[in-house]
Amino acid sequence: MGPGAPGRKRNSQGDKEETKPAPEMKLLLDTTVIMDVLRDRKGRRELLADLLRTGHSLSTSVLNVAEVYSGIRPGEEGLTEAFLGGLEEYELGSQVARAAGKLRITWAKRGRPISPADAIVAAIAIDQRCALLTDNRKDFPMPELRLHPLPLTGLDFASDAACTT
């Protein structure tokens, strides 16, 4: 990597390069990630703790909250409330609703239908300038939507079938 390469900077002597820290990001958690955190799967708790330590902020949408509550199990209410209470929560306003509808039309014309829920989550993430953390990357083909990479852990894949949200 040369002296002018992105992600690097030269020190005052010009003889060594240092790596810049990753820029802080606003991250929107999709339902699958939230459920993994609540049910302690795939190392998601540790991942989010690392993201917070490096200065990223965590959020979700009202739609994701509704989906989480539709799959809540007895005894999960306290942990769910505590976790969701620590996230910034984005509302669905008329501007975002219109943008979601336009996303659905655009992708339907391309032969790639998008569910109303996924279109709303995508529109909120785009509107709020968030990168989306989701296991369902195929459901979010929009080039204007940033998807934050999720590491594959190989942990607890058998329990994925239990999560219907």
Side-chain angles (χ1 to χ4, degrees):
M1 186 175 280
R8 297 285 199 170
K9 67 177 181 180
R10 288 188 154 268
N11 68 10
S12 58
Q13 283 91 28
D15 59 351
K16 293 183 181 176
E17 294 182 354
E18 299 173 15
T19 302
K20 285 184 186 178
E24 295 172 3
M25 272 190 280
K26 290 174 29 176
L27 303 169
L28 192 139
L29 308 182
D30 197 16
T31 306
T32 59
V33 174
I34 294 170
M35 295 307 294
D36 285 344
V37 169
L38 295 174
R39 296 184 179 156
D40 200 14
R41 295 190 295 221
K42 298 182 185 177
R44 298 297 194 227
R45 290 181 182 177
E46 295 78 11
L47 171 67
L48 295 187
D50 287 344
L51 290 168
L52 287 170
R53 272 192 291 279
T54 56
H56 302 299
S57 62
L58 304 178
S59 62
T60 196
S61 74
V62 293
L63 186 123
N64 297 112
V65 171
E67 288 181 333
V68 166
Y69 273 91
S70 73
I72 200 167
R73 296 175 182 161
E76 292 181 333
E77 296 87 356
L79 178 61
T80 301
E81 277 298 314
F83 180 69
L84 293 176
L87 300 177
E88 185 167 358
E89 188 176 294
Y90 295 117
E91 299 285 331
L92 171 62
S94 60
Q95 178 181 332
V96 171
R98 286 179 181 88
K102 289 176 183 177
L103 286 172
R104 291 196 72 218
I105 290 169
T106 298
W107 287 96
K109 287 179 181 176
R110 295 179 184 180
R112 185 110 189 251
I114 305 295
S115 75
D118 290 340
I120 290 168
V121 170
I124 289 172
I126 292 165
D127 181 67
Q128 294 297 324
R129 295 179 176 88
C130 294
L132 181 65
L133 268 76
T134 183
D135 286 307
N136 299 325
R137 297 174 74 83
K138 66 178 178 12
D139 296 335
F140 298 96
M142 308 85 178
E144 64 271 36
L145 176 63
R146 290 180 299 147
L147 297 174
H148 192 277
L150 282 173
L152 295 175
T153 62
L155 300 175
D156 208 13
F157 284 109
S159 67
D160 286 345
C163 182
T164 59
T165 57

